[in-house]
Amino acid sequence: RSFASQTDGESRLVRVLREKFPRASAIKVVDISGGCGAMYEIHIESEEFREKRTVQQHQMVNQALSEEIKHMHGLRIFTSAPK
């Protein structure tokens, strides 16, 4: 799917993540619930994750999206620090 056809939910999550992770080099959000906004897959590459364990990285993302998560059924998170 092209960037232009992002759902409202996807672009809202990208906006929130850009704000919370200003040093992110890549943020990708995909609605994997068929567009209804119930489940998302999130990929973030950010300097903020360097030297943190995966569980800590995921906690940072969960914290950043705490309000949005209340309205979701599920979330798949993939995080990494830039190589």
Side-chain angles (χ1 to χ4, degrees):
R1 203 165 58 207
S2 74
F3 183 73
S5 67
Q6 261 196 329
T7 67
D8 290 345
E10 289 168 345
S11 22
R12 189 177 62 251
L13 292 179
V14 168
R15 258 197 322 276
V16 171
L17 292 167
R18 283 245 171 265
E19 201 176 284
K20 305 281 185 181
F21 298 100
R23 296 165 66 197
S25 45
I27 295 178
K28 183 177 158 212
V29 176
V30 181
D31 185 333
I32 53 175
S33 61
C36 74
M39 185 133 178
Y40 289 93
E41 186 170 291
I42 295 176
H43 296 261
I44 304 179
E45 182 179 274
S46 179
E47 201 50 60
E48 280 103 333
F49 297 140
R50 188 159 317 281
E51 313 225 343
K52 293 207 170 27
R53 296 191 326 273
T54 304
V55 70
Q56 292 171 310
Q57 296 174 11
H58 289 201
Q59 285 168 339
M60 290 167 71
V61 174
N62 281 317
Q63 182 71 45
L65 296 175
S66 58
E67 274 311 301
E68 289 73 14
I69 287 173
K70 292 175 184 172
H71 309 287
M72 292 180 201
H73 292 295
L75 188 60
R76 265 194 232 153
I77 302 173
F78 299 90
T79 53
S80 61
K83 304 279 177 284

